[in-house]
Amino acid sequence: MSGAALLALVRRTFADARGRNIGFALLFALVAYAQPAAYRSDYPTLRDRLGFVHAFAGNASLRLFYGRPVDLLSVGGYSAWRVGGILAIFAAVWGMLAAARALRAEEDSGRTEILAAGPVSRARLFAASVCGCLGGVLVLWVALLAGLLAGGLPAGGSAYLALATVVPALVFLALGALACQLGSSRRVALELTGAALVVALLLRVVADTTTSLGWLRWLTPLGWSEELRAFAGPQAWVIALPAVVSLACLLGAARLWLGRDVGRGLIGAREVAPVRLSGLSSPTALALREERWSLGGWLLGSGSFAFIIGLISTSISSAGISSSLRRQLKALGGASITKPAGYIGLSFLFFVLAFSLFACSQVAAARHEEAQERLDVILALPVSRARWLVGRLGLAVGGLLALSLAAGLLAWVGADVQHAGISLATMIEAGLNCAPVAILFLSFAALAYALVPRASTAVAFSVVSVTFVWQLLSSIVGAPSWLRELSPFEHVGLVPAQPLKGGAAAAMLGLAVLVGAAAVWVFTRRDLVGA
């Protein structure tokens, strides 16, 4: 196989992921720019920064989101905490998705078997896929570096912070490559890597919110990202840990790939299994049967996080909150984060984001069913296209309502343990308040699926990410109200600190019905599109 052919395969892998790479890169660049700029504006003097450190450095609720701060008196140290803490998690998610798409989705679609049957060795095919993904890591690093430089941080420290932030992407790319050899399908590979990510995040949370278990930070790639300590006494030698683990996982994945059959996995699907007729009564029931583990994971994760937020809702102090930060919080909805209701209301804005991403993932699952040509079999039965898509959208809506209720209920349990004085009915309302925006994004994702099926997943996730980041940035840059209102997140009342915006919720649900109906209409009139 010539070098030109190998390079063509690398370019193909890189091009296939361009939508996801662009979406994540925009998110990374915007967050990297906004944090140092906001810190300079909110805390311009040493006195202001000392007050901030006194109020927030040891706050468990902020460590839950951003990790352990090291130096909050400098713009660089603050940026390393706020940018690196949250974007390291997004980088890990990117690595997980990139590996599954490049290594397992191609195999599930049958294209890998065709390439392997030609003059392409399996070793070079694996190398080309990994190199294409590494190009995506480079895109994330460049986007982060550009955002940090635009935010006024020095070039050397910015490059190091960008590297520390994308380290989890490398590790979870390698773990994902290994999971692709273990699992018998892309779904199984994602579930295995997702479980590893949940464990890594829980280890970081425990390490960052306790004093006696800080050593757990050395057991998780997210902890290694923290221990690199950009702008705060850098420990460059720590980069050896993710480098060694990533290389070992990639070598192990390559060895397994060379020794297994295409389309199989070490944890392969059983050739013979007991007959299970449950979930075969309709296409929607079958979809629920296929998605039950994914929905269970979302319920467990979001419910646990909601419980923790309720548990720490009484820990915020009013000291150190600058007047400019108060103005920004007011622009975000006027809730006071020093009160339990205000803190929970503001935190639930992130649940709106998470549930919107869940909605996009449900449409992505429907697209995967079509790409793998399983939908052809279903539609060969007396099942109309409209019935199938409406059933999938209805299943997603049901999942969103279950997630919303679970979040509200478990947040109330956590808050009640701390005697926060928030009623169960109010917290159920706060949970359901997350659903209208998520359902609206579900309808737009469905429309993208109907119009541009191959690009629909990237379009859906990008729209959610960009509108959420715009919601956060627009208040900082002082954008006109009509521009802020372009984001659906702007129309979410911060329940329980504020009353539910019933009119806005009804309008979003009504628009969702119209857009969803348009998506069904378009879908019934287009051809099915393979991978």
Side-chain angles (χ1 to χ4, degrees), residues 247-337:
L247 182 60
C249 289
L250 286 175
L251 290 176
R255 184 179 180 87
L256 292 175
W257 161 242
L258 293 175
R260 70 172 176 85
D261 293 334
V262 176
R264 300 297 183 103
L266 296 188
I267 309 175
R270 291 175 293 177
E271 297 293 340
V272 179
V275 176
R276 293 186 297 119
L277 299 180
S278 61
L280 300 180
S281 59
S282 69
T284 305
L286 176 61
L288 177 59
R289 171 173 162 170
E290 294 292 322
E291 295 292 324
R292 67 189 187 280
W293 292 111
S294 175
L295 179 58
W298 274 91
L299 282 169
L300 178 62
S302 59
S304 301
F305 207 65
F307 173 75
I308 294 174
I309 284 176
L311 203 63
I312 62 180
S313 61
T314 59
S315 64
I316 295 289
S317 167
S318 61
I321 301 180
S322 67
S323 58
S324 102
L325 181 57
R326 293 178 191 272
R327 289 195 300 270
Q328 291 174 20
L329 291 173
K330 184 177 181 180
L332 284 173
S336 172
I337 63 170

Side-chain angles (χ1 to χ4, degrees), residues 130-521:
V130 172
C131 288
C133 293
L134 291 177
V137 177
L138 180 61
V139 169
L140 297 185
W141 180 83
V142 170
L144 266 170
L145 177 60
L148 293 169
L149 292 176
L153 293 177
S158 297
Y160 184 79
L161 173 55
L163 175 63
T165 305
V166 301
V167 155
L170 290 170
V171 177
F172 278 90
L173 172 62
L175 288 173
L178 186 60
C180 287
Q181 314 313 313
L182 299 176
S184 59
S185 67
R186 178 176 179 268
R187 175 186 292 274
V188 176
L190 282 173
E191 289 173 351
L192 291 173
T193 319
L197 177 55
V198 170
V199 171
L201 181 57
L202 287 176
L203 287 173
R204 195 193 83 168
V205 167
V206 173
D208 289 339
T209 55
T210 62
T211 56
S212 60
L213 297 175
W215 58 271
L216 290 174
R217 196 176 295 110
W218 294 100
L219 301 181
T220 166
L222 300 177
W224 301 338
S225 181
E226 285 186 8
E227 289 297 338
L228 283 166
R229 297 187 183 179
F231 289 108
Q235 301 183 118
W237 65 268
V238 177
I239 198 69
L241 294 175
V244 169
V245 170
S246 299
L247 182 60
C249 289
L250 286 175
L251 290 176
R255 184 179 180 87
L256 292 175
W257 161 242
L258 293 175
R260 70 172 176 85
D261 293 334
V262 176
R264 300 297 183 103
L266 296 188
I267 309 175
R270 291 175 293 177
E271 297 293 340
V272 179
V275 176
R276 293 186 297 119
L277 299 180
S278 61
L280 300 180
S281 59
S282 69
T284 305
L286 176 61
L288 177 59
R289 171 173 162 170
E290 294 292 322
E291 295 292 324
R292 67 189 187 280
W293 292 111
S294 175
L295 179 58
W298 274 91
L299 282 169
L300 178 62
S302 59
S304 301
F305 207 65
F307 173 75
I308 294 174
I309 284 176
L311 203 63
I312 62 180
S313 61
T314 59
S315 64
I316 295 289
S317 167
S318 61
I321 301 180
S322 67
S323 58
S324 102
L325 181 57
R326 293 178 191 272
R327 289 195 300 270
Q328 291 174 20
L329 291 173
K330 184 177 181 180
L332 284 173
S336 172
I337 63 170
T338 62
K339 298 178 180 179
Y343 175 74
I344 291 175
L346 194 61
S347 298
F348 263 55
L349 189 62
F350 291 90
F351 280 99
V352 179
L353 169 64
F355 296 163
S356 298
L357 295 175
F358 168 80
C360 294
S361 73
Q362 290 299 296
V363 176
R367 164 59 192 158
H368 182 68
E369 192 168 339
E370 178 183 354
Q372 299 306 307
E373 299 181 358
R374 294 196 298 269
L375 181 57
D376 300 64
V377 178
I378 293 176
L379 295 181
L381 302 172
V383 177
S384 68
R385 290 188 175 202
R387 177 189 170 191
W388 176 79
L389 184 55
V390 169
R392 292 304 300 251
L393 295 179
L395 177 63
V397 170
L400 287 170
L401 293 177
L403 290 173
S404 300
L405 288 170
L409 175 62
L410 290 172
W412 171 79
V413 172
D416 191 60
V417 169
Q418 297 296 322
H419 307 289
I422 303 175
S423 69
L424 173 60
T426 303
M427 283 311 307
I428 294 297
E429 183 180 328
L432 292 175
N433 184 46
C434 300
V437 171
I439 293 174
L440 178 61
F441 280 118
L442 172 67
S443 68
F444 278 110
L447 183 59
Y449 166 60
L451 292 171
V452 284
R454 286 196 175 98
S456 58
T457 300
V459 169
F461 282 103
S462 297
V463 168
V464 172
S465 300
V466 169
T467 52
F468 182 75
V469 171
W470 173 243
Q471 161 67 7
L472 297 180
L473 291 181
S474 60
S475 60
I476 295 175
V477 301
S481 59
W482 67 270
L483 276 177
R484 294 200 304 269
E485 290 173 358
L486 293 177
S487 171
F489 295 99
E490 176 71 16
H491 305 283
V492 178
L494 301 183
V495 183
Q498 298 174 336
L500 175 70
K501 294 182 179 179
M508 285 189 283
L509 291 174
L511 180 59
V513 170
L514 293 176
V515 174
V520 173
W521 185 84

